[in-house]
Amino acid sequence: MVTIKDIANRLGISTSTVSKGLNGASDISESLRQTVLDTAVELGYTTKQMRGKDRRKVCIFMENMNFETPEQFGYDIILGFRQSAFRENYDVTIFPITPDIQAAEKYDIFMLKHGFVGGFMVGFALMDDWMSQFSATSIPTALFDNYIRKNPLVASVGSDTSEGIDDAIVHLMGLGHRHIALINGSWRSCITEQRRQAYIDSMTAHNLPFDERTMPYGYYVADSAKDHIDRLLSMGITAILCGNDLLASGVIGECLKRGVKVPGELSVIGFDDIPLAARLDPPLTTVRQDRTELGRSGFYTLHSLINRIPISRTMLRPQLIVRKSTGPVREDAD
Amino acid sequence: MVTIKDIANRLGISTSTVSKGLNGASDISESLRQTVLDTAVELGYTTKQMRGKDRRKVCIFMENMNFETPEQFGYDIILGFRQSAFRENYDVTIFPITPDIQAAEKYDIFMLKHGFVGGFMVGFALMDDWMSQFSATSIPTALFDNYIRKNPLVASVGSDTSEGIDDAIVHLMGLGHRHIALINGSWRSCITEQRRQAYIDSMTAHNLPFDERTMPYGYYVADSAKDHIDRLLSMGITAILCGNDLLASGVIGECLKRGVKVPGELSVIGFDDIPLAARLDPPLTTVRQDRTELGRSGFYTLHSLINRIPISRTMLRPQLIVRKSTGPVREDAD
């Protein structure tokens, strides 16, 4: 079990200072108090008050997304959500959800049975059973990277994809690239369609060539790269945007196999900036989504819905992180 | 000066309960405590702590918008903002801003001089001097009904216009209307362009006829209606959406002068739901923006920016309020 001593050791402060932070004493600074609280959540520390029975319960549903280790996309989303929930005295349950569970029970029934006053849905696809129920749900519900029309109890939380993709394309243009492809993630996902539209809008705005063949659908895994790489290279593509960092790592791997130099012959850009991105060879240029902040915004959006403020969307700005996988276009490109 | 007794009288509770609410005592409910705090703000009560010098200062700039009485659009926005700011211990200044002041001093300089750590900008037009400075400002800034690209310190707060306009058009279609016009507000305003695009998208999606003549620009005042009403009626328009409630009140007034029955011969829909809307004859069907909630969301968005969470947009869902200014299409319409 995690103790006050563990928190003190992690932060390099005294246990009495940790106690002050946890108890809201007035003689420590607000920012230090928040750091103590955030660290308590991160380490899994619980107080008597936290274990009390009268706290409002919300649930994070993880569908088709890994979150068990800091390496994985969902980890920091959950951490940020729990840190914010802690401050507002909510109890958070993490529930890995499957199509079978969704088919077996209606969303609203599930929530009412378990006493959850709100849900945060991460990783859902458009064809998931529960997605069709969100239009009419009476449970406050925040959707990560999905959007439902006209239900004032449902809100969308995510990144401003169009800015992130445009930043990446402007960066590539500055390096002389004109033939830029997008290997996207899975078909039938709201976020996949957003990235596709953002690519179309940005390429159009900058008067760059593209067509259906330069924006194939794939899957959000490394292995998906091999289905596309040969065709794109033969078309004269000099830079590839990828639906996520795993796909980008796959593109780099396929290039290595073929003796294609990154970035000498092909520039590669990922999306997300998972910890892996910085450790690839070459380190990956990518569009960072700050997942801790997305988790925090997810909680505050849900908290607003629970308080009957009809938020429709909360969007965060992503940030282009330039590393070594992008470089000047090769000289023989047209 | 407002006293604890005033708050107690307003709420019909004892002064000792008010004191408990103001002091955060644990033996009153959280929701009553929030009500006490909100009422204290509404009545203008200040505590010693509130007058302290170490509180973070933010400023609401009101440009070209009235806010002095509850009748006016800006009043509840400011109230909601101040209520939320109170809870987070910020000091709020309301500053009516003019083009002259903007021309005289750069935004960042103004903010630094006055010690404001953040700004909430309400009623700005695209050609305002300061608007062009927000792309590069280093001051956390939330914009009501405006949007700036790619500055992580600037966020947009507003209503989901496309849903509101579509709700209005679907309502009119249910009453048999097909010839629906939009008398919009002032040209060169971000929100005017959003409403125009929302009208185009919705009319297109429902396969209804429209062209440049069915969506004229006007001004956000009643008097603007007279410039458009005759032409629209002569074109066979049976329903008019208006850029705001004042414009809609003008349309109703012009109809009265001409002996055109509302809604017998023409249906009219406003936007905003200011208090006046319910008192018009006939009472106005309108798209409500909950301005108190917009103000609260404005504060929390700014608070997030100040804490370096790069919110891009916060959008609330508007709500169609059906009253008596809309009815079945007249029988002789095509």
Side-chain angles (χ1 to χ4, degrees), chain B residues 183-200:
Chain B
I183 303 182
N184 210 334
S186 322
W187 195 52
R188 290 203 176 166
S189 132
C190 181
I191 190 66
T192 301
E193 291 309 316
Q194 277 177 24
R195 287 185 192 164
R196 185 180 171 89
Q197 192 59 50
Y199 168 81
I200 293 171

Side-chain angles (χ1 to χ4, degrees), chain A residues 198-256:
Chain A
Y199 168 81
I200 293 170
D201 291 347
S202 177
M203 294 295 278
T204 304
H206 300 300
N207 210 13
L208 296 176
F210 69 96
D211 59 29
E212 202 57 45
R213 296 170 307 156
T214 67
M215 46 183 182
Y217 292 99
Y219 297 93
Y220 287 112
V221 296
D223 205 39
S224 182
K226 70 176 188 317
D227 303 334
H228 307 284
I229 189 77
D230 291 321
R231 192 170 45 77
L232 292 174
L233 287 171
S234 72
M235 285 168 60
I237 291 293
T238 64
I240 300 180
L241 306 178
C242 301
N244 72 359
D245 292 336
L246 293 176
L247 250 172
S249 76
V251 169
I252 291 176
E254 295 300 321
C255 285
L256 187 66

Side-chain angles (χ1 to χ4, degrees), chain B residues 7-310:
Chain B
I7 301 171
N9 288 344
R10 166 67 94 78
L11 292 173
I13 60 180
S14 70
T15 52
S16 67
T17 305
V18 172
S19 292
K20 284 179 183 174
L22 293 173
N23 298 322
S26 60
D27 58 341
I28 78 165
S29 77
E30 178 62 18
S31 68
L32 180 54
R33 192 175 80 84
Q34 296 298 349
T35 303
V36 168
L37 293 177
D38 285 350
T39 307
V41 174
E42 196 179 339
L43 297 179
Y45 178 82
T46 54
T47 63
K48 195 173 167 190
Q49 186 199 18
M50 286 176 66
R51 294 186 297 271
K53 283 180 181 157
D54 57 346
R55 302 174 78 224
R56 285 178 291 188
K57 290 171 61 183
V58 291
C59 188
I60 306 179
F61 293 90
M62 304 298 287
E63 158 75 313
N64 196 23
M65 186 183 290
N66 296 315
F67 58 88
E68 290 78 8
T69 77
E71 294 291 310
Q72 295 170 324
F73 187 86
Y75 185 87
D76 283 339
I77 294 178
I78 290 178
L79 179 60
F81 188 101
R82 289 176 58 234
Q83 286 175 336
S84 296
F86 184 83
R87 297 181 191 183
E88 303 289 340
N89 203 30
Y90 279 79
D91 183 72
V92 181
T93 299
I94 320 293
F95 194 92
I97 186 87
T98 63
D100 285 351
I101 297 172
Q102 292 180 53
E105 192 146 51
K106 297 273 182 210
Y107 174 63
D108 284 20
I109 305 289
F110 184 97
M111 298 300 277
L112 292 170
K113 256 192 194 170
H114 292 84
F116 294 127
V117 298
F120 183 44
M121 325 308 285
V122 183
F124 277 62
L126 295 178
M127 65 279 219
D128 270 316
D129 258 6
W130 282 6
M131 280 295 289
S132 63
Q133 297 171 28
F134 295 146
S135 297
T137 183
S138 57
I139 307 285
T141 302
L143 310 175
F144 180 72
D145 275 353
N146 276 295
Y147 179 69
I148 291 284
R149 297 195 69 197
K150 298 192 178 180
N151 184 339
L153 288 171
V154 179
S156 171
V157 179
S159 291
D160 190 335
T161 302
S162 64
E163 288 205 349
I165 298 276
D166 189 60
D167 285 348
I169 287 174
V170 167
H171 166 66
L172 291 169
M173 288 173 67
L175 295 167
H177 295 271
R178 300 191 66 249
H179 296 280
I180 303 167
L182 167 69
I183 303 182
N184 210 334
S186 322
W187 195 52
R188 290 203 176 166
S189 132
C190 181
I191 190 66
T192 301
E193 291 309 316
Q194 277 177 24
R195 287 185 192 164
R196 185 180 171 89
Q197 192 59 50
Y199 168 81
I200 293 171
D201 291 346
S202 177
M203 294 295 277
T204 304
H206 300 300
N207 210 14
L208 296 176
F210 69 96
D211 60 30
E212 203 57 45
R213 296 169 308 157
T214 67
M215 45 184 184
Y217 292 99
Y219 297 94
Y220 288 111
V221 296
D223 206 39
S224 182
K226 69 176 190 312
D227 303 334
H228 306 285
I229 188 78
D230 291 321
R231 192 170 45 75
L232 292 174
L233 288 170
S234 73
M235 286 169 58
I237 291 292
T238 64
I240 299 180
L241 306 178
C242 300
N244 72 358
D245 292 336
L246 294 175
L247 250 171
S249 76
V251 169
I252 291 175
E254 295 300 322
C255 287
L256 188 65
K257 283 186 202 165
R258 289 162 178 75
V260 174
K261 294 194 190 90
V262 176
E265 295 169 88
L266 184 76
S267 286
V268 180
I269 299 187
F271 208 104
D272 290 345
D273 197 27
I274 58 174
L276 171 74
R279 298 196 308 264
L280 291 172
D281 178 17
L284 188 66
T285 296
T286 188
V287 180
R288 175 184 291 166
Q289 302 199 66
D290 191 315
R291 291 175 296 286
T292 310
E293 288 171 357
L294 282 167
R296 288 179 181 160
S297 296
F299 171 76
Y300 277 108
T301 298
L302 183 57
H303 182 52
S304 297
L305 294 174
I306 290 167
N307 288 309
R308 295 298 184 270
I309 297 181

